[in-house]
Amino acid sequence: MSTLVLAIFIPFLAAAIIPFLYKYLKNIHVGWFAILVPTGLFIYLASLIPAISNGEVIVQTINWIPSYGINITAYLDGLSLTLALLISGVGALVILYSIYYLSSKEPIGTFYTYLMLFMGAMLGVVMSDNMLVLYVFWELTSISSFLLIAFWYQRKRSREGAKKSLIITVSGGISMLVGFIMVGSMSSTWSIREVIANVGSISDHSLFIPAMLLVLLGAFTKSAQFPFHIWLPDAMEAPTPVSAYLHSATMVKAGIYLVARFTPVFGGEAVWFWAVTGVGIFTLFWGSFNAVRQTDLKALLAYSTISQLGMIMSMFGMGSAALYLGYSTESVVYTGATFAALFHLVNHSTFKGALFMVVGVVDHSVGTRDIRRLGGLITLMPVTFTIATVGSMSMAGLPPFNGFLSKEMFFVSTLEITEAGFFGLGTWGIAIPIIAWVASIFTFVYSTVFVVKTFLGPYKEEKLEHPAHEPNPGMLISPIILGMLVITFFFMPNVVGENLIAPAMNGIFPTFASEGAELGTHIHAWHGFKPELFMTIGVILFGVFLYLTRKYWSGIYNLFPEKWSINTFYGFVLDQIEDKSTVITNKYMTRYLRDYMVYIFAFFILAIGGIFIFTEAYYFTLPENAPISNFEGLVILAMMVAGITILFAKSRLTAIVLNSILGFGISILFVLFRAPDLALTQTIIEAVTTVLFLVAYYFLPELDREDTTKKTKSVNLFISIGVGVVFTTVALGVQGNKAFDTISTFFENSYELAGGKNMVNAILGDFRAFDTMLEVVVLLIAGIGVYTIIRVRAKKESDQIEDK
Amino acid sequence: METLVTILAGVLVTVATYLLLSKSLIRVIIGTAILTHAAHLVIMAVAGLKTGTVPIVGEGDPVDPLPQALILTSIVIGFAVTAISLVLAYRTYQELGTDKLDKLRGNPDE
């Protein structure tokens, strides 16, 4: 019944099993087991396509914390299914690829465990209807990404890349959580579906805009939007299958998914439109502009991913304009941008996945990814070259590849949005198509660089680690499949469009769908001689021109020196936080017991004493006192004198004798207080303690005069008296106010219940026997502790972790 | 009686606190021992003193046995704590040559 919820948890289950498989099945690459999970999930999810494309949605709930309305609700509509298919489909291909990429000598058991952890978390993100559950899965993807980036944790750069990605994405995640809580408190539900259904009631709330911005912050950090994009290039330290999977095809799309999911909530607001579109379009430009200057193939692809994510993001922003107008025949036109965004989301996963795998193949074959050392691989690696060309041309937006279709649709949307007469688009709208077009030229340039620099030109074997050769055919299967999809989607785009994207559109524009709008666009490769075609032709012409004249204008990058980059700023902030917090911490963490004791006692005085004074809660009535005989008075007086004299004891022997007087005095008091057991125990223990002190004194130095200053002494005295006064007042107050009846009458039946006439013994040996047993264990541990502290000598520390 | 015992406990707490704030490890250890005594006295006082006979069945109306059981446990644990602290002080002195807490701060660059 709840197979969908189960689907989310199967990868987690696999993550738990894989370490054991890895340990006990040495002969088989553990990836062959791991691959079963995404393959199975893909088949299962694919079997749901007909139902979803008929407009159904699947909802299954398992209660988790029902009293707070937090339940694991798996919710599958077109949008979730699209993402889920990408996660499982690309996941299967990546695992297949990784089987050949990672040798069994690497700790692949942990690798596949983390990968499964990620897969489950990511499925959870796209299928959760509950915002808080979504948040939990969201952070789990950040954590598994952290673990995977640091897979080669011996390398310093891996560790730093992992740390950077974690800090940025988790900070965003936490702000998103705050946004979710705001949305939840506005609409008093955690269910996204219910929020969407009642969106009208919250859009005037004063927290509406803050909540929107906080949620967007989460989405932008996760999807590497400017200025948070800096973690993605550093994340490329991960093994290439991870880069292909997490950092291009799936995890970085989580932010985009979030924007899509919340479009029906926040869309139609000018702030949302400009934040999403503006950040997206600028990221598109900035990413593609910086990709051109990269010399590492993976860094190039990282910036390219940033750029493409910005493009998808901006399209979701433009699509949201339709919600401002409400449903009408004119406004439907703007939803085309959202359609294009979803289509490009799928396309990007196919061609970028293939390109990352190509880089992995090249790196694996020749041992470098530096384009200054590569070249001329076309004749030696023809299959790899073909895939790279297909992927790059799709990325550049050329026919006959799927990127062409979505790029054209993107151009159409940018042009249409300039004609909208709201949100100040009349003045600023024209910037959108211009930036988009310029960015596309740079996209063309870096796509060309990617292919030409790697595969054409002279072959420089002396600069390579190994001579070039085609890899194991198994490593080519996945990129070939993705490359074929790139072409297939070009010729049959409507298979995807009608079955997945159209239902997804209904989820993003529910108000439109309920009016019966046709939200699915029929995708054509040929639109006739329209502006978008001329834009593409312009991109090619200017792209070729810029590529050829690269030498002459590359000086432009010197306008953005390293000193002023966001990366430097990030490092600066981090260093400052570390330095300042060290300074502050060192101020109060003095490594001196007395200071810590002062903090504790001062807090005690202020908190307990302060509460009594400020709340005026304190009152006490002195209880009816038992009479005091002369003898008792004398004992107590002696103890007070002994206690105070300890403070002035010059020799340690005096101190211990006075301490013994206290101990034996208490024994006498126990006798007087009708507690013979206590008196006996106290006498014995006091005797042993005194002996112990004397033995210890044999080894310890004589008490010196305390060379503390007068000031410190008076502070100490002040605190001590403060503690004593607060303690005494509380103890007196407690005596006068008995809130509950004593439970001790129960123990008076000790003979019937436990067969013992001595109630204290019965309590210790029977009613609370476990307590006594554990007490004996404590004594045992203390005994072992005493023995080891005396006997065991410390060994010199060795084996520090390598830090290069 | 109860008030007097409570005040005695208060005095002992003051003394113990002062000792805990001192530099010498031995004084700190004595301080913990005295703190234990004070706690025991207060527990006794809160339950009421001399309200009956010894807590043995058949001896008449007994005093509250529960605090006694609690204190009995505490005496033993207090002993274990004192023993462990003494041995720690002994080892500290052996290894580092001082029992002054202000000198036991470790290296600044650690």
Side-chain angles (χ1 to χ4, degrees):
Chain A
M1 190 48 210
S2 16
T3 39
L4 210 53
V5 182
L6 195 67
I8 300 176
F9 284 96
I10 280 176
F12 288 111
L13 200 67
I17 296 171
I18 280 175
F20 296 103
L21 291 177
Y22 176 62
K23 198 171 171 191
Y24 294 110
L25 294 169
K26 287 272 177 215
N27 299 328
I28 310 169
H29 197 290
V30 73
W32 290 116
F33 296 104
I35 199 171
L36 297 176
V37 175
T39 316
L41 286 174
F42 185 80
I43 293 168
Y44 165 69
L45 290 165
S47 74
L48 298 174
I49 293 178
I52 298 294
S53 70
N54 281 336
E56 290 176 34
V57 293
I58 304 171
V59 183
Q60 290 170 357
T61 302
I62 288 183
N63 285 351
W64 184 18
I65 317 173
S67 51
Y68 286 98
I70 300 172
N71 301 311
I72 298 176
T73 302
Y75 174 68
L76 198 74
D77 64 352
L79 182 60
S80 305
L81 184 62
T82 311
L83 268 296
L85 283 171
L86 279 182
I87 294 160
S88 52
V90 179
L93 294 175
V94 160
I95 290 178
L96 176 66
Y97 175 79
S98 71
I99 290 172
Y100 298 96
Y101 185 85
L102 290 171
S103 82
S104 308
K105 286 175 201 132
E106 308 258 14
I108 49 173
T110 36
F111 178 80
Y112 289 109
T113 307
Y114 297 159
L115 211 62
M116 287 296 132
L117 207 63
F118 167 76
M119 197 179 286
M122 192 67 206
L123 284 172
V125 167
V126 299
M127 297 211 274
S128 290
D129 177 53
N130 190 293
M131 285 187 277
L132 294 183
V133 178
L134 190 155
Y135 169 75
V136 172
F137 284 124
W138 179 279
E139 296 295 40
L140 262 179
T141 62
S142 292
I143 291 167
S144 48
S145 155
F146 168 81
L147 293 169
L148 284 166
I149 296 170
F151 178 64
W152 286 313
Y153 57 85
Q154 302 88 342
R155 300 181 189 168
K156 189 162 190 265
R157 286 168 59 89
S158 293
R159 296 201 298 269
E160 293 193 339
K163 206 167 73 181
K164 197 176 198 175
S165 77
L166 190 73
I167 289 174
I168 294 180
T169 52
V170 168
S171 320
I174 287 171
S175 79
M176 182 185 87
L177 173 66
V178 177
F180 281 174
I181 292 173
M182 286 178 177
V183 173
S185 72
M186 281 188 282
S187 51
S188 43
T189 171
W190 296 116
S191 159
I192 299 173
R193 277 176 306 140
E194 287 171 27
V195 172
I196 293 172
N198 304 313
V199 67
S201 62
I202 65 167
S203 52
D204 295 327
H205 200 285
S206 60
L207 284 177
F208 187 68
I209 298 288
M212 172 204 293
L213 294 177
L214 287 169
V215 170
L216 274 182
L217 206 58
F220 287 167
T221 49
K222 195 76 164 183
S223 284
Q225 297 297 295
F226 186 89
F228 310 110
H229 65 279
I230 52 170
W231 68 267
L232 194 58
D234 288 15
M236 292 299 136
E237 291 298 324
T240 301
V242 174
S243 310
Y245 188 34
L246 271 71
H247 305 125
S248 82
T250 53
M251 189 187 86
V252 288
K253 305 250 162 75
I256 285 169
Y257 165 79
L258 195 73
V259 167
R261 189 47 98 204
F262 277 86
T263 295
V265 181
F266 298 120
E269 297 285 325
V271 183
W272 175 268
F273 174 85
W274 279 112
V276 178
T277 313
V279 170
I281 208 106
F282 188 75
T283 310
L284 162 65
F285 167 75
W286 190 250
S288 63
F289 178 65
N290 276 294
V292 178
R293 72 195 284 197
Q294 303 303 321
T295 52
D296 179 0
L297 283 179
K298 269 181 97 175
L300 187 148
L301 287 186
Y303 278 100
S304 149
T305 305
I306 292 168
S307 158
Q308 302 279 326
L309 291 171
M311 174 175 155
I312 301 172
M313 195 63 95
S314 71
M315 285 193 273
F316 276 114
M318 290 186 270
S320 74
L323 286 166
Y324 170 76
L325 294 175
Y327 175 65
S328 67
T329 39
E330 290 89 56
S331 66
V332 170
V333 108
Y334 300 115
T335 66
T338 306
F339 188 89
L342 289 164
F343 188 44
H344 195 67
L345 185 110
V346 176
N347 293 346
H348 178 250
S349 294
T350 55
F351 68 70
K352 192 54 71 60
L355 287 176
F356 266 109
M357 289 178 185
V358 163
V359 172
V361 168
V362 170
D363 193 8
H364 208 261
S365 163
V366 303
T368 181
R369 316 187 294 250
D370 191 330
I371 54 173
R372 289 166 300 192
R373 295 163 69 186
L374 293 168
L377 300 181
I378 179 165
T379 49
L380 299 156
M381 304 171 78
V383 182
T384 316
F385 166 73
T386 313
I387 304 163
T389 314
V390 169
S392 301
M393 289 178 80
S394 178
M395 182 158 76
L398 303 180
F401 307 108
N402 56 6
F404 170 74
L405 300 175
S406 36
K407 197 55 151 296
E408 293 263 284
M409 291 161 79
F410 170 61
F411 286 147
V412 173
S413 324
T414 59
L415 292 172
E416 271 162 1
I417 204 73
T418 54
E419 286 159 23
F422 47 92
F423 292 164
L425 280 162
T427 7
W428 297 103
I430 191 70
I432 295 174
I434 293 175
I435 300 176
W437 186 68
V438 172
S440 299
I441 296 174
F442 282 111
T443 307
F444 183 90
V445 174
Y446 71 69
S447 302
T448 317
V449 168
F450 182 87
V451 177
V452 173
K453 288 284 176 181
T454 315
F455 294 99
L456 303 178
Y459 174 59
K460 297 164 271 191
E461 189 170 321
E462 71 284 358
K463 289 190 176 178
L464 305 176
E465 311 268 326
H466 323 285
H469 56 88
E470 280 287 8
N472 185 319
M475 217 164 152
L476 290 172
I477 298 173
S478 298
I480 288 174
I481 292 175
L482 286 171
M484 304 233 293
L485 283 176
V486 168
I487 300 168
T488 314
F489 285 166
F490 176 80
F491 289 107
M492 295 187 281
N494 294 308
V495 175
V496 184
E498 282 162 13
N499 289 314
L500 286 173
I501 301 179
M505 293 289 285
N506 291 337
I508 297 173
F509 299 102
T511 43
F512 286 49
S514 60
E515 300 274 348
E518 241 347 285
L519 290 166
T521 315
H522 198 77
I523 309 166
H524 302 278
W526 178 251
H527 303 82
F529 292 102
K530 292 268 186 63
E532 57 268 24
L533 185 67
F534 295 119
M535 281 172 90
T536 302
I537 294 170
V539 164
I540 298 171
L541 292 177
F542 277 90
V544 171
F545 172 72
L546 279 183
Y547 177 78
L548 294 174
T549 57
R550 210 161 70 257
K551 263 203 296 274
Y552 305 102
W553 55 268
S554 59
I556 196 169
Y557 291 110
N558 298 332
L559 293 175
F560 309 96
E562 186 65 28
K563 213 169 76 180
W564 297 105
S565 70
I566 302 165
N567 253 329
T568 318
F569 177 72
Y570 168 85
F572 174 77
V573 169
L574 223 58
D575 286 347
Q576 286 295 310
I577 291 175
E578 209 173 308
D579 290 351
K580 293 286 181 292
S581 51
T582 309
V583 169
I584 293 172
T585 308
N586 283 343
K587 279 228 171 73
Y588 66 89
M589 298 301 281
T590 56
R591 292 181 272 185
Y592 181 20
L593 183 69
R594 187 234 163 210
D595 294 343
Y596 300 152
M597 285 292 180
V598 168
Y599 305 147
I600 293 171
F601 288 132
F603 180 78
F604 173 77
I605 295 171
L606 292 176
I608 310 283
I611 283 174
F612 286 147
I613 292 169
F614 288 111
T615 61
E616 297 173 4
Y618 188 77
Y619 75 99
F620 67 88
T621 47
L622 282 181
E624 290 168 27
N625 268 319
I628 310 168
S629 71
N630 287 341
F631 177 63
E632 291 162 351
L634 211 63
V635 172
I636 289 174
L637 191 70
M639 287 176 70
M640 278 191 196
V641 173
I644 293 167
T645 321
I646 287 186
L647 298 179
F648 304 99
K650 293 275 188 296
S651 89
R652 55 189 193 181
L653 207 60
T654 322
I656 190 59
V657 168
L658 291 167
N659 186 41
S660 303
I661 289 178
L662 284 180
F664 289 117
I666 284 179
S667 301
I668 295 171
L669 288 182
F670 282 153
V671 174
L672 298 171
F673 297 158
R674 319 279 191 268
D677 302 280
L678 294 188
L680 274 175
T681 318
Q682 178 69 34
T683 313
I684 295 166
I685 293 284
E686 197 54 42
V688 178
T689 309
T690 309
V691 171
L692 199 65
F693 267 104
L694 291 175
V695 172
Y697 284 179
Y698 179 73
F699 300 100
L700 287 174
E702 180 54 73
L703 279 181
D704 297 330
R705 279 184 62 83
E706 293 267 304
D707 53 346
T708 29
T709 57
K710 270 250 159 58
K711 191 177 154 227
T712 320
K713 273 191 179 165
S714 42
V715 171
N716 287 359
L717 191 66
F718 178 75
I719 287 177
S720 314
I721 291 173
V723 170
V725 168
V726 173
F727 176 86
T728 315
T729 36
V730 172
L732 286 174
V734 168
Q735 288 173 36
N737 309 292
K738 288 212 160 64
F740 303 101
D741 288 333
T742 172
I743 56 166
S744 298
T745 44
F746 172 77
F747 300 114
E748 287 168 16
N749 299 324
S750 69
Y751 190 68
E752 290 83 57
L753 292 169
K757 285 191 173 173
N758 183 331
M759 293 172 204
V760 177
N761 285 1
I763 293 173
L764 290 173
D766 193 292
F767 296 118
R768 299 177 55 81
F770 261 119
D771 202 23
T772 311
M773 192 184 79
L774 292 177
E775 185 199 339
V776 174
V777 174
V778 170
L779 272 185
L780 178 74
I781 294 170
I784 296 171
V786 168
Y787 179 78
T788 41
I789 290 170
I790 292 177
R791 295 302 295 269
V792 180
R793 304 275 147 186
K795 290 198 187 77
K796 285 276 167 247
E797 280 178 39
S798 57
D799 296 343
Q800 298 238 324
I801 192 155
E802 155 204 35
D803 202 4
K804 59 178 181 193
Chain B
M1 188 84 203
E2 282 87 344
T3 313
L4 188 64
V5 171
T6 310
I7 290 170
L8 172 63
V11 170
L12 292 185
V13 166
T14 311
V15 171
T17 310
Y18 192 82
L19 289 174
L20 283 174
L21 292 172
S22 63
K23 275 182 190 173
S24 155
L25 256 177
I26 292 182
R27 284 202 170 89
V28 172
I29 295 170
I30 294 177
T32 59
I34 293 177
L35 205 56
T36 318
H37 292 327
H40 295 167
L41 286 177
V42 158
I43 294 174
M44 286 302 271
V46 167
L49 297 171
K50 299 198 283 185
T51 51
T53 63
V54 286
I56 290 173
V57 176
E59 295 283 320
D61 191 20
V63 295
D64 195 341
L66 192 56
Q68 298 194 13
L70 295 179
I71 293 171
L72 199 66
T73 311
S74 166
I75 291 174
V76 179
I77 298 288
F79 169 68
V81 171
T82 311
I84 270 257
S85 323
L86 273 175
V87 173
L88 264 178
Y90 156 70
R91 261 315 280 268
T92 310
Y93 181 65
Q94 261 202 339
E95 292 283 318
L96 305 165
T98 180
D99 71 333
K100 295 285 170 287
L101 286 163
D102 56 336
K103 295 191 180 119
L104 292 172
R105 298 194 196 190
N107 296 325
D109 50 283
E110 251 170 28

